[in-house]
Amino acid sequence: FELDRPAPGWLLYRPVLDEEQGWWAIPLAEGETVYQMPLVGLTPGTRYAVQVGIGEALETLRAPRLFGAKWGPVRFTAPALGEPKLRFGVVGDSGFGDDKTRALIELMDGYDLDFVLHTGDSVYNIYEESSPAEAYAKKYFSMFAPLLLQAPIFPVLGNHDFDLPALADGRPYFVRAFLALADPSVPSSALGTWYSFERSGIQFIMLDSAAFHGSGGRGEQTAWLEERLADPSFRFSIPVFHTPPYTSGLHRGDGNALRLDWSELFEAAGVPLVFSGHDHNYERIERDGLTYVVSGGGSPVLYRKTQPVGGSQQFHARMHFVLVEISDVRLSLTAIDLDGKVLDRAIIPTRPG
């Protein structure tokens, strides 16, 4: 987390359901504004509350504020060991900060999600605000607060993260807003732009598709992706990145180079499902034994179909999110629009990675 200025304080956390359990307290380092603080002693499957407290004494702490509203506590569930079930959401291209996006986020909040995947372009038109920090605070952190206070959100870079107003010290402000954990498998120059995480034995590979449009690191990232896909310790892998390899929408040709480098790797590794955004619509495409989902309907700025791509099963120019439910025997997805209407349902076949 980041404060706007250095302040004395503490990071507090405890189990949500154990009101008799006191708060564990970790002091904030003096003179700092950016913090990355590991929580220790968590019990798998247990839900926790976490609160930043500003002040010298534990008895008089106050919560930080974002645009005048108290921030926190944040609640999350420590991943359960051996639990095969997952329920997560997917949304993308939400970055205009409008009321309809807020309504979609509030709808998602009612689905008791374990986490959310964001397919990129989490903040648009940064030039409308005084700084990238203010733009992210207004159009992302404040907008997504109902979800962020209940479950983690894992984002990927979008093409608009490389717009000049979106840069800070020559890099996308994204990498400061979403501070990366140290990962020895990722070059230091790429930390925060591509990463992976595991839940319920499934590997989620979060990629930077802008590498195919001049941001750099294309070869390094593809080599890293190949290594991640070759790891046999996961049930299967789900890649997530912004530019779709296949689409019937406005940006039909933007994923051509990416498709040449990555699609065969996905096929060889038995990847069942790939998520992207970039086109502001919903589309499900089946190609070469894979399901490709375009989920870029996080705002009311929507794109119509241009030319149908081979394998397209469903296309909707509607605001939406995707609900994904995984058990030990089934992977299913449901696309849900802003009114709560089901746009699409599908069972996705899987095979061990």
Side-chain angles (χ1 to χ4, degrees):
F1 61 92
E2 182 173 2
L3 304 175
D4 61 351
R5 59 184 179 273
W10 301 77
L11 182 69
L12 312 172
Y13 65 106
R14 73 173 183 186
V16 169
L17 296 180
D18 188 355
E19 295 183 358
E20 296 182 0
Q21 167 71 56
W23 293 90
W24 289 297
I26 306 173
L28 303 186
E30 295 183 6
E32 302 291 336
T33 58
V34 179
Y35 295 90
Q36 191 176 77
M37 303 174 70
L39 305 183
V40 299
L42 303 181
T43 302
T46 299
R47 192 152 181 81
Y48 289 88
V50 185
Q51 178 69 63
V52 176
I54 304 300
E56 296 279 0
L58 289 171
E59 296 79 9
T60 58
L61 296 179
R62 64 187 185 279
R65 292 184 173 272
L66 182 66
F67 295 116
K70 186 181 78 169
W71 187 265
V74 173
R75 293 178 171 85
F76 71 94
T77 301
L81 299 178
E83 172 55 63
K85 294 182 180 179
L86 275 181
R87 180 182 176 91
F88 62 89
V90 183
V91 69
D93 297 88
S94 60
F96 292 105
D98 56 87
D99 290 342
K100 287 189 176 181
T101 295
R102 188 181 301 276
L104 182 66
I105 292 163
E106 291 172 352
L107 176 68
M108 295 176 67
D109 187 42
Y111 279 82
D112 191 25
L113 303 172
D114 294 316
F115 58 86
V116 172
L117 305 176
H118 196 293
T119 61
D121 281 352
S122 49
V123 178
Y124 288 116
N125 300 341
I126 282 180
Y127 61 82
E128 294 176 342
E129 312 302 331
S130 63
S131 67
E134 183 174 346
Y136 268 82
K138 180 178 180 180
K139 295 182 177 181
Y140 179 79
F141 289 104
S142 178
M143 184 68 53
F144 276 86
L147 288 173
L148 287 167
L149 295 175
Q150 300 296 331
I153 300 178
F154 297 96
V156 296
L157 280 158
N159 58 297
H160 287 286
D161 289 306
F162 293 88
D163 292 347
L164 188 60
L167 303 181
D169 299 323
R171 299 192 73 197
Y173 189 81
F174 175 102
V175 300
R176 176 164 181 163
F178 308 118
L179 191 62
L181 296 173
D183 184 345
S185 75
V186 177
S188 59
S189 61
L191 275 178
T193 63
W194 26 280
Y195 61 98
S196 65
F197 68 95
E198 179 271 339
R199 288 292 186 276
S200 297
I202 299 163
Q203 178 178 217
F204 294 85
I205 306 177
M206 315 297 285
L207 298 165
D208 173 20
S209 57
F212 293 87
H213 303 279
S215 71
R218 173 176 173 176
E220 285 182 311
Q221 184 177 202
T222 297
W224 176 82
L225 169 62
E226 195 166 7
E227 290 178 0
R228 297 310 317 144
L229 291 171
D231 190 331
S233 60
F234 302 103
R235 295 163 61 188
F236 51 84
S237 297
I238 297 178
V240 183
F241 47 89
H242 186 60
T243 303
Y246 301 98
T247 175
S248 303
L250 180 65
H251 297 297
R252 183 178 173 87
D254 288 6
N256 289 347
L258 179 155
R259 184 170 67 245
L260 290 174
D261 280 17
W262 288 355
S263 287
E264 286 189 1
L265 298 180
F266 299 154
E267 294 164 24
V271 166
L273 180 60
V274 175
F275 284 109
S276 300
H278 194 40
D279 269 338
H280 297 189
N281 48 249
Y282 170 81
E283 186 169 18
R284 177 169 56 87
I285 301 158
E286 295 180 1
R287 299 284 295 244
D288 302 311
L290 280 74
T291 297
Y292 293 90
V293 171
V294 179
S295 181
S299 88
V301 180
L302 298 167
Y303 300 162
R304 299 293 177 182
K305 184 185 293 186
T306 55
Q307 181 178 351
V309 69
S312 181
Q313 306 297 309
Q314 292 279 337
F315 184 101
H316 299 276
R318 303 274 294 177
M319 285 189 70
H320 71 277
F321 78 98
V322 180
L323 175 66
V324 182
E325 297 173 287
I326 302 176
S327 70
D328 53 348
V329 297
R330 193 170 86 159
L331 165 57
S332 67
L333 64 82
T334 307
I336 301 169
D337 76 2
L338 180 59
D339 297 322
K341 176 186 175 182
V342 172
L343 301 175
D344 184 30
R345 280 195 176 100
I347 305 298
I348 311 300
T350 64
R351 64 179 174 87

